[in-house]
Amino acid sequence: MGGHGEQDVARRRFDVADAAPLLLDPQGVVTNWTGPAERLLGYTAAEAVGGKLSDLLTAEDAERVPELVGRCRADDGWAGLMTARHRDGHVVPVMVRVLRTVEPRGRSSLLVLLSELAGSSGWDMSRTMLEQMVSGSAIGLAIVDTDLQYVWSNTALEQFGGGPARRRLGLRFADVQPGLDAEAVEARMRHVLETGESVVGFEHVGWARSAPLRETAHMLSFTRLDDDRGNPMGVYYSVVDITDRHRARQRLALLDRAGRHIGRTLDIMHTAQELADVAVPDLADFVTVDLLETVLRGAELPPGPLAETERVPLLGAGHRSVYEDLPRTVRDLGAPVSYLPGSPPVRCLTTGRTWRQEQLDPLALEWAESRPGLREATFLELGLQSVMIVPIRARGVTLGITVFFRRRRDPFSEDDSNLAEDLVSRAAVCVDNARRYTRERNAALVLQRSLLPHRLPEQDAVEVAACYRPADELTGLGGDWYDLIPLSGARVALVVGEVPGHGIDAAAAMGRLRTAVRTLAALDLPPEEVLGHLDDLVSQSAGEGETEPAAAYGQSVGSGCLYIVYDPVEGRCAMAAAGHPAPVLVAPDGSVGFVELPAGPALGVGGPPFEAVELPLAEGSTVVLHTDGLLAGVPGGNDAAGNGTGDADPGRERLRQALRAAPDSLEQRCRAVVDALVPARPYDDVAMLLARTRLLDAGQVAVWDLPADPAVVAEARRTATRQLGHWDLDELVFTTELVVSELVTNAIRHAAGPVRLRLIRERALVCEVFDGGATTPHLRHPRAMDEGGRGLLLVSQLAQRWGTRFVPDGKVIWAEMSLTGPDDLPVG
């Protein structure tokens, strides 16, 4: 016995009042003996003085005296437990404390205090008592020697496997627990033997012999045992079963992993697969996730469990297995799944409650109906032993089921069932969110398809291509739009605009604004007037909707719009912008230029009036209209998107290079430019419209200036008839004569100045009559006895479309007649 541990114990338990003092010289010889020492050990002063202290101790402790005496001469002293020998021969357990003292003459000596341990509570213990204490402990205890072979273990260690204590003797850890990682455990033992450092709280997880189908966890602590000289004799270790705590940590870790990995997308199938991936292998060996077919479509479901029916329409949405042979029991993802009526999966769907079976009937057939090419298999053939079926329910709605299987593991317990329900409930919310998103997204996409042009109308003024890329990757739509609107006289309006924000609200506002633009375009107004009326509409609607800002056109405040009118007869275009980037022009030779267009204010915010620019375009020129999202991700792109800035802007320069490098095909050029300038996830919505100009051949247009004389009406009819003959349009002679006659007569009768007649042969025959009047003609419905007022009524009946547009020096009344028949073109 000895060491610092004994000193600590002795210091705590030593009672100085009961101690027997004596003095030693520096060589350990007794120089003074007291009455208490005589009473304790039976020696008289004459017998004790002059003898050595070692003579008063047992042989084992006597060997320690020279070392202790030398130590006490060098430091403050020593305290510990020893065994003394009484004069009559019996042993006396004593607590010993040795202190260094200095006598008045300067000589040093050692003061020894002895205190008998007999009757001292807690220390008067025999080896038998100590063995009873450690053997009866509920904690597994063992001692191995320096070769790591068992020399002793208590009964409690048997609960961890390895057999009775007597069978362990001479064996090593790997011999009695082959299923555990013996190398890791023995490595800790060697470390303790080599360094003397104790290891406390080493956790070890594995399958022990005592529970071959159950993963267990133990906490081990290791301490080195030394002899009296400090030499290692072996390792003493303890084992505590912490399987329950380990499983609780596993459950928390599984739920934490589920929270991080399930529902990362709003895709229903992906979310179902994430549920299966998280559950395997920590909770189950094989998992399938089946969802109702209506869930995958995003449809609404009735609340509560499903009604009892013979067949429930399910689709396989996810599965995961740790075994290669088990996937043969599932269908391809998205394939129909059909369970037998009355089977546990169907009961879970109809009751909304979890079903668990710790041990499956090995000869029972699987519940799914047979599949072509595969025979029915029993649970024994599949190796499935335990099962849980958990309904997937969220917000009171049943969405499907999740089936958990185990093979060669502990059967599912009630704790496993609670964990599975918690796991599935978390995933169910994600699945339901994905279902609701699918429904909303489908509705948004329907809205988008109804708002954006399905295809641009066919016409002969320009060749067009368009591209749209939304920034909102969830809904797939935003507030940018483009349009091409056929106008009278073979002209077209090219429009690009954008509404602030993204998503379904911006798309709805965009749809209202686009409809307003098309309505104003039908009035054949100049671009600056179209934007002026549009600005008034947005401003007024925003004022009326102050209590509901998103109502009507309220969300359109701050929108941008570029409106261009191109005339293929004259080869000219007029344009105006409202808070929108100016167009880019690509000449027939490939050179790229930027139109210097005055930047008008955004719609609804107020400001100076809009200004228009008119310029000629050579045939084959390409007009590039785009929203500012095209250059939003380009350094300097915000400046480049503005109007009136220099060509040295980085955004404009990149756009110029992209247009030069793009293919000649408009469709490919449009896609190439957007791909070159817009990231995969754009910062803003992007709409781009490319229009390559055409010119009508001179032979397609005929113009005559007519004097303001009623007699010229007959000549106008004959002239128009001859022109139709040149164009091989004899079938339209009768209709055209009537239209020309009525329009020319109306112009001569009600207007002042010269009259001009123009015929245009395009996809339709266009008859235009110009006069200097500034009043709009009105369609009248004369009474039976009225002598006039039937001219425009007759024109409206004969022509497919007709209308009036104003020009700087007068107005034009026009009418269109179909070249192929009255039913082939829509009435505008």
Side-chain angles (χ1 to χ4, degrees):
M1 303 174 64
H4 294 289
E6 291 179 342
Q7 294 184 45
D8 294 338
V9 172
R11 290 189 181 104
R12 290 194 301 267
R13 306 294 300 173
F14 205 100
D15 188 349
V16 177
D18 296 332
L22 61 137
L23 291 177
L24 305 178
D25 65 13
Q27 285 71 41
V29 176
V30 178
T31 60
N32 183 275
W33 189 258
T34 63
E38 181 177 351
R39 288 191 297 272
L40 177 63
L41 298 181
Y43 295 99
T44 64
E47 294 172 323
V49 174
K52 294 184 177 181
L53 175 64
S54 58
D55 297 336
L56 304 176
L57 304 175
T58 60
E60 183 178 359
D61 286 338
E63 295 178 356
R64 302 166 58 192
V65 171
E67 177 187 355
L68 296 178
V69 170
R71 183 190 305 176
C72 292
R73 287 201 303 264
D75 55 31
D76 293 335
W78 177 88
L81 304 177
M82 287 187 171
T83 304
R85 190 176 298 278
H86 196 271
R87 187 175 183 277
D88 61 12
H90 73 274
V91 295
V92 180
V94 291
M95 289 184 180
V96 182
R97 185 168 185 178
V98 183
L99 302 173
R100 184 167 61 88
T101 64
V102 179
E103 296 180 5
R105 297 180 181 179
R107 292 186 302 175
S108 64
S109 61
L110 300 176
L111 171 65
V112 178
L113 301 176
L114 303 177
S115 179
E116 185 177 9
L117 282 177
S120 177
S121 176
W123 289 105
D124 190 11
M125 295 183 183
S126 65
R127 176 174 178 175
T128 301
M129 294 178 64
L130 292 174
E131 287 183 350
Q132 290 176 355
M133 182 177 69
V134 297
S135 298
S137 172
I139 299 174
L141 305 173
I143 298 175
V144 297
D145 59 19
T146 54
D147 294 326
L148 306 185
Q149 295 176 337
Y150 283 99
V151 296
W152 177 86
S153 62
N154 68 349
T155 305
L157 193 66
E158 297 176 5
Q159 65 181 305
F160 302 103
R166 64 179 182 276
R167 294 183 184 176
R168 295 175 185 267
L169 298 178
L171 301 179
R172 291 175 54 163
F173 188 86
D175 299 327
V176 299
Q177 293 287 9
L180 298 177
D181 186 1
E183 292 185 2
V185 175
E186 293 189 349
R188 296 299 188 285
M189 293 180 179
R190 292 191 186 93
H191 174 77
V192 172
L193 281 173
E194 294 170 0
T195 65
E197 299 175 356
S198 298
V199 174
V200 179
F202 170 66
E203 294 190 11
H204 186 273
V205 180
W207 279 265
R209 274 186 171 180
S210 58
L213 299 180
R214 176 176 178 263
E215 185 183 58
T216 57
H218 305 104
M219 184 170 67
L220 294 85
S221 298
F222 305 91
T223 303
R224 190 174 76 179
L225 297 177
D226 297 337
D227 60 17
D228 294 337
R229 295 175 177 80
N231 298 318
M233 298 174 57
V235 175
Y236 163 82
Y237 76 88
S238 61
V239 185
V240 179
D241 190 333
I242 59 169
T243 301
D244 291 340
R245 186 171 72 183
H246 172 70
R247 289 188 172 182
R249 284 204 306 262
Q250 281 186 319
R251 292 186 180 98
L252 291 176
L254 180 62
L255 294 175
D256 177 68
R257 190 163 61 254
R260 288 185 285 109
H261 293 282
I262 298 178
R264 291 176 292 180
T265 68
L266 288 174
D267 181 88
I268 298 177
M269 297 287 287
H270 193 79
T271 303
Q273 185 60 48
E274 288 171 338
L275 169 59
D277 292 341
V278 166
V280 175
D282 291 344
L283 181 58
D285 299 326
F286 175 43
V287 172
T288 63
V289 182
D290 301 327
L291 297 176
L292 296 173
E293 183 267 340
T294 48
V295 171
L296 295 176
R297 289 191 287 107
E300 275 296 336
L301 301 172
L306 299 176
E308 294 188 8
T309 57
E310 291 189 357
R311 281 181 173 81
V312 180
L314 294 169
L315 296 179
H319 64 82
R320 177 66 63 187
S321 172
V322 295
Y323 300 104
E324 295 181 356
D325 58 332
L326 279 179
R328 69 187 177 93
T329 66
V330 300
R331 293 60 153 191
D332 295 332
L333 296 184
V337 178
S338 180
Y339 290 104
L340 297 172
S343 62
V346 173
R347 290 204 301 270
C348 285
L349 281 170
T350 56
T351 62
R353 293 193 294 271
T354 298
W355 183 84
R356 173 171 58 91
Q357 190 165 19
E358 296 184 0
Q359 187 64 46
L360 285 166
D361 181 358
L363 300 181
L365 296 174
E366 58 171 320
W367 303 305
E369 291 186 331
S370 60
R371 300 172 297 283
L374 290 177
R375 68 178 184 85
E376 295 178 339
T378 64
F379 289 119
L380 177 62
E381 293 173 316
L382 297 174
L384 302 175
Q385 298 175 345
S386 185
V387 64
M388 292 186 300
I389 305 176
V390 181
I392 303 174
R393 290 177 52 79
R395 301 179 178 97
V397 174
T398 301
L399 308 174
I401 56 171
T402 304
V403 186
F404 302 85
F405 288 102
R406 279 182 180 174
R407 266 190 168 179
R408 292 179 289 274
R409 294 167 63 178
D410 271 359
F412 286 117
S413 64
E414 185 176 355
D415 287 342
D416 293 324
S417 179
N418 294 333
L419 176 60
E421 289 178 348
D422 198 356
L423 180 66
V424 172
S425 66
R426 297 186 181 205
V429 174
C430 298
V431 170
D432 193 49
N433 288 340
R435 177 188 68 84
R436 291 167 178 261
Y437 162 72
T438 298
R439 181 188 62 194
E440 298 299 329
R441 186 174 187 273
N442 290 340
L445 292 178
V446 170
L447 174 64
Q448 179 191 34
R449 286 191 291 267
S450 66
L451 296 178
L452 289 176
H454 296 176
R455 62 181 179 86
L456 296 174
E458 296 181 0
Q459 35 70 47
D460 292 334
V462 290
E463 176 190 356
V464 291
C467 181
Y468 172 75
R469 184 172 294 181
D472 192 337
E473 63 178 19
L474 295 181
T475 62
L477 74 162
D480 290 16
W481 92 94
Y482 58 87
D483 209 347
L484 184 148
I485 307 171
L487 303 176
S488 64
R491 299 168 307 133
V492 291
L494 305 172
V495 189
V496 166
E498 55 188 316
V499 172
H502 310 291
I504 196 167
D505 290 337
M510 173 269 286
R512 292 189 292 264
L513 203 59
R514 176 173 175 256
T515 301
V517 171
R518 294 183 69 89
T519 302
L520 292 170
L523 300 178
D524 252 334
L525 300 174
E528 68 275 17
E529 294 188 28
V530 170
L531 295 182
H533 287 295
L534 192 63
D535 181 69
D536 291 340
L537 178 63
V538 172
S539 299
Q540 293 171 8
S541 297
E544 295 171 359
E546 288 180 355
T547 57
E548 298 182 14
Y553 294 89
Q555 190 163 328
S556 302
V557 174
S559 299
C561 184
L562 174 63
Y563 189 88
I564 299 177
V565 175
Y566 173 67
D567 187 344
V569 177
E570 299 181 3
R572 299 185 65 83
C573 73
M575 63 186 70
H580 200 279
V584 184
L585 295 181
V586 182
D589 61 2
S591 60
V592 180
F594 296 86
V595 178
E596 296 300 324
L597 179 64
L603 298 175
V605 300
F610 300 102
E611 298 181 47
V613 168
E614 187 172 348
L615 65 157
L617 293 179
E619 185 174 16
S621 300
T622 302
V623 184
V624 181
L625 300 83
H626 65 87
T627 57
D628 57 11
L630 182 69
L631 301 178
V634 179
N638 290 336
D639 294 336
N643 300 318
T645 57
D647 287 357
D649 292 332
R652 283 193 168 186
E653 187 57 34
R654 286 198 58 187
L655 178 55
R656 187 197 306 272
Q657 294 174 3
L659 287 169
R660 285 175 176 173
D664 187 62
S665 166
L666 281 192
E667 289 286 349
Q668 296 177 5
R669 172 175 291 187
C670 190
R671 181 64 58 184
V673 170
V674 172
D675 290 342
L677 300 179
V678 180
R681 295 184 177 181
Y683 302 97
D684 194 8
D685 303 322
V686 177
M688 188 175 185
L689 179 66
L690 272 61
R692 182 176 291 158
T693 62
R694 298 169 177 154
L695 286 177
L696 294 187
D697 187 84
Q700 294 179 263
V701 181
V703 182
W704 301 275
D705 289 324
L706 306 175
D709 184 354
V712 83
V713 175
E715 181 60 29
R717 288 198 299 267
R718 289 192 293 270
T719 301
T721 300
R722 285 195 299 270
Q723 186 61 47
L724 293 183
H726 294 321
W727 286 341
D728 294 328
L729 297 178
D730 296 332
E731 66 277 8
L732 292 179
V733 169
F734 177 74
T735 301
T736 305
E737 283 184 338
L738 290 176
V739 171
V740 168
S741 177
E742 294 299 333
L743 293 183
V744 172
T745 300
N746 191 70
I748 293 174
R749 178 178 298 175
H750 299 288
V755 177
R756 183 183 303 115
L757 171 64
R758 184 169 72 167
L759 296 180
I760 302 174
R761 184 184 187 277
E762 194 215 15
R763 293 178 178 267
L765 177 63
V766 182
C767 176
E768 296 182 341
V769 175
F770 164 82
D771 61 55
T775 58
T776 303
H778 297 284
L779 187 67
R780 295 172 57 191
H781 297 275
R783 292 182 296 238
M785 301 305 294
D786 290 345
E787 295 182 359
R790 294 181 175 83
L792 291 181
L793 180 61
L794 182 61
V795 171
S796 69
Q797 297 297 317
L798 296 175
Q800 187 178 29
R801 297 195 309 164
W802 77 279
T804 304
R805 71 174 181 271
F806 289 91
V807 293
D809 52 352
K811 68 175 183 296
V812 175
I813 304 177
W814 55 270
E816 286 185 6
M817 282 76 71
S818 172
L819 299 181
T820 56
D823 297 329
D824 292 337
L825 291 175
V827 176

